[in-house]
Amino acid sequence: MQVEEWGLRDLAYRIEKQAKGFYTLMRYKATGKAVAELERNLKLTDGILRYLTTRAVEDSPMTSPSAPRVYSDEPPRRNYDDRRNYDDRRNYDDNRSRGGDRDPSA
């Protein structure tokens, strides 16, 4: 059995008025009955807001999902600020063509 404690993190959305949760990743080998019993216990435990059980392929690497990923084959992604600035320029040009940015004194 392998247990990784990820610590306190923000939840994607509020669950039972909670905005933060303590994340833990458990990897183990067990029978279907053992998994069902574990899920039953998780469901009955008050401090556990959510859980997710998935079946992993046995040959899958044991790298942590929270580990930094290296994307060497993909082109670099644009920064959010780049998109915003591009959209602002485009909207500025659209307004000018409609006469929206004209100087009233001219």
Side-chain angles (χ1 to χ4, degrees):
M1 180 172 188
Q2 180 184 3
V3 177
E4 288 183 39
E5 292 183 355
W6 294 358
L8 194 64
R9 294 180 174 211
D10 291 333
L11 298 175
Y13 54 90
R14 288 188 176 270
I15 302 172
E16 297 178 16
K17 300 181 182 179
Q18 299 294 319
K20 293 187 178 278
F22 194 86
Y23 283 70
T24 304
L25 174 66
M26 296 176 18
R27 295 178 185 207
Y28 58 91
K29 289 185 180 183
T31 64
K33 288 182 181 181
V35 173
E37 180 64 19
L38 175 63
E39 288 182 347
R40 187 182 74 78
N41 286 314
L42 292 172
K43 195 180 299 186
L44 295 173
T45 305
D46 289 334
I48 297 178
L49 300 174
R50 293 281 192 273
Y51 63 89
L52 175 67
T53 303
T54 60
R55 184 178 191 163
V57 179
E58 288 199 31
D59 296 338
S60 65
M62 296 297 281
T63 49
S64 172
S66 64
R69 296 180 184 172
V70 177
Y71 298 102
S72 58
D73 295 343
E74 294 183 17
R77 296 183 181 192
R78 292 191 332 183
N79 190 344
Y80 173 77
D81 291 335
D82 293 340
R83 286 193 313 255
R84 186 184 46 146
N85 291 337
Y86 173 76
D87 290 342
D88 287 347
R89 285 192 303 270
R90 188 180 65 211
N91 290 338
Y92 174 76
D93 291 339
D94 289 346
N95 286 338
R96 287 192 54 146
S97 65
R98 291 188 207 124
D101 269 347
R102 292 194 182 152
D103 185 7
S105 63

